[in-house]
Amino acid sequence: MVVLIIVLKTIVAVLSVLLSLLILLHKGKGGGLSDMFGGGLTANAGTSGVAEKNLNRWTVGIAILWVLLIVSISLIAKTI
């Protein structure tokens, strides 16, 4: 069981970094932190609708997996 928890925590750590990167890839809507870090400079480049939809799907899917893994780690740790 301890090995399973270590593996799941490692996966959560990797997913956390990936989720952070995916969130930062989203197009800024202006007026927020995305403009401070150069989001306003790339506003003219834009992204296609399909790319933005796929990015949203990946972000939501990984976020759901991240939450499920955290809940499962908690339940496994509670039974030990």
Side-chain angles (χ1 to χ4, degrees):
M1 283 290 196
V2 176
V3 174
L4 178 63
I5 290 176
I6 292 172
V7 169
L8 290 177
K9 285 183 179 182
T10 304
I11 294 171
V12 167
V14 170
L15 287 179
S16 297
V17 172
L18 183 61
L19 189 58
S20 297
L21 292 174
L22 285 173
I23 290 170
L24 289 173
L25 283 174
H26 278 84
K27 188 168 77 169
K29 302 297 183 210
L33 287 176
S34 62
D35 282 342
M36 184 189 308
F37 294 113
L41 298 176
T42 59
N44 293 337
T47 57
S48 69
V50 174
E52 191 71 25
K53 284 182 185 178
N54 287 334
L55 184 60
N56 287 338
R57 288 180 187 144
W58 275 99
T59 305
V60 169
I62 290 177
I64 290 170
L65 180 61
W66 184 79
V67 169
L68 290 175
L69 282 174
I70 290 175
V71 169
S72 65
I73 290 170
S74 174
L75 291 174
I76 292 171
K78 191 181 237 186
T79 60
I80 291 178

